Amino acid sequence: MARHANLPDESSIDRNHPDALYVQLRNLLKGMIERRELAVNDKLPSERELVAVYGVSRITVRQAVKELENLGYLQTRPGKGIYVTAPTPIYELEVVRSFTQTAYANNRKPGMRLLSGKIIQADAEVARPLSLPTGADVVFLERLRLLDDVPVVIQRDWFSASLAPGILDIDWTVENRSLYAEFENRYGIIPSRGQSTVSARLASDIEASFLQLEVPAAVLTLDQIAYDNHNRTVNVSAAAYHPTRYPLSLTQSHRRL
């Protein structure tokens, strides 16, 4: 059997190494993909060839390949084989960092569609985290967020109407207006810390329609409360994320703009 021209030989696998054989093989193939020795859309050498070249078992090969699939480096195409694919980016979300800033950090184009913007009377569930009495006037914003013109998140925000008077007079149909930038630039309010809860649930029919999901479908959810540096609540938010277009990674550090 002819060996794939790009594959290093079996000396690359060290049987005395503390890492398991499948870990070594996974890292070897991962490095080749990252160096583009195996390029996106290249077909991965067959299981038989990998076994022959590296002198490992089929189980070792399958485990290494499975982990690379889970990491987004490989993709099985039914009836065709396993191919190299571009890894899906993991979006690092921070309680005080905006969708816009996160998008730019990943070299993506952010966008927005306003779904709803109005003043409502807060029920107990909204009033409590905002430290307001039930029935207080609260601004409600609902926006569909996009990356490279593809919908990825439905974001809902609530905050006291007295915190940012006139904020609904701003043109929220602008493609990429940042709520936190408006807070800071117009009202001098700077969210500096917060807390978040990540979960998952079934999408509503409306959410599925906006996010281009076939029902029944799951969405990732991110519920957040942000505070300023005087420990006053700035806003509460609830977001529903497309489960594959926007995988989440959370930290709690940088200031959101």
Side-chain angles (χ1 to χ4, degrees):
M1 178 188 303
R3 186 170 68 86
H4 191 285
N6 286 334
L7 289 179
D9 61 30
E10 63 181 310
S11 63
S12 302
I13 300 293
D14 182 359
R15 282 163 175 74
N16 295 317
H17 196 280
D19 286 345
L21 297 181
Y22 82 89
V23 173
Q24 294 183 58
L25 181 57
R26 178 200 67 196
N27 292 340
L28 184 65
L29 295 172
K30 179 173 174 283
M32 293 175 65
I33 293 169
E34 290 175 341
R35 293 189 300 272
R36 299 186 181 179
E37 294 166 11
L38 288 171
V40 173
N41 291 321
D42 277 357
K43 186 175 182 180
L44 189 73
S46 69
E47 181 179 283
R48 182 181 300 178
E49 184 174 2
L50 292 172
V51 167
V53 169
Y54 295 110
V56 295
S57 69
R58 288 180 179 268
I59 293 175
T60 295
V61 170
R62 288 171 186 169
Q63 192 165 357
V65 168
K66 185 62 177 177
E67 290 209 357
L68 289 171
E69 286 185 298
N70 292 339
L71 290 169
Y73 286 88
L74 298 175
Q75 180 184 59
T76 297
R77 299 179 185 175
K80 296 183 177 180
I82 300 174
Y83 288 78
V84 177
T85 187
T88 301
I90 301 298
Y91 295 100
E92 187 177 17
L93 299 181
E94 300 168 11
V95 172
V96 287
R97 187 184 190 187
S98 72
F99 175 91
T100 301
Q101 190 175 15
T102 301
Y104 285 139
N106 285 276
N107 298 314
R108 307 292 294 276
K109 184 185 80 171
M112 184 195 77
R113 282 175 49 198
L114 179 67
L115 302 179
S116 180
K118 57 187 176 182
I119 293 179
I120 63 172
Q121 279 65 58
D123 60 19
E125 187 176 357
V126 170
R128 189 181 304 111
L130 288 174
S131 301
L132 296 173
T134 300
D137 285 347
V138 167
V139 176
F140 171 66
L141 280 178
E142 184 178 34
R143 294 171 289 165
L144 179 65
R145 312 307 298 267
L146 304 98
L147 284 178
D148 299 333
D149 301 318
V150 175
V152 294
V153 186
I154 297 173
Q155 184 172 351
R156 303 173 178 100
D157 289 276
W158 296 262
F159 51 92
S160 172
S162 64
L163 185 73
I167 197 167
L168 291 180
D169 296 332
I170 300 169
D171 183 5
W172 286 96
T173 63
V174 171
E175 184 178 73
N176 192 39
R177 189 175 292 281
S178 168
L179 174 61
Y180 274 36
E182 299 301 331
F183 277 164
E184 181 169 0
N185 297 333
R186 292 176 182 266
Y187 303 100
I189 300 166
I190 303 175
S192 59
R193 69 175 187 87
Q195 63 187 49
S196 61
T197 303
V198 180
S199 188
R201 59 171 170 78
L202 288 176
S204 68
D205 289 345
I206 292 176
E207 288 172 333
S209 177
F210 280 127
L211 293 175
Q212 301 173 345
L213 293 166
E214 292 187 11
V215 292
V219 288
L220 300 173
T221 61
L222 181 67
D223 298 320
Q224 298 184 322
I225 306 175
Y227 306 92
D228 67 11
N229 53 13
H230 299 291
N231 292 323
R232 295 175 297 199
T233 305
V234 175
N235 73 308
V236 297
S237 65
Y241 289 82
H242 192 291
T244 59
R245 292 175 179 171
Y246 207 103
L248 302 181
S249 173
L250 290 175
T251 63
Q252 302 281 95
S253 55
H254 295 304
R255 182 166 58 87
R256 181 163 75 170
L257 297 176

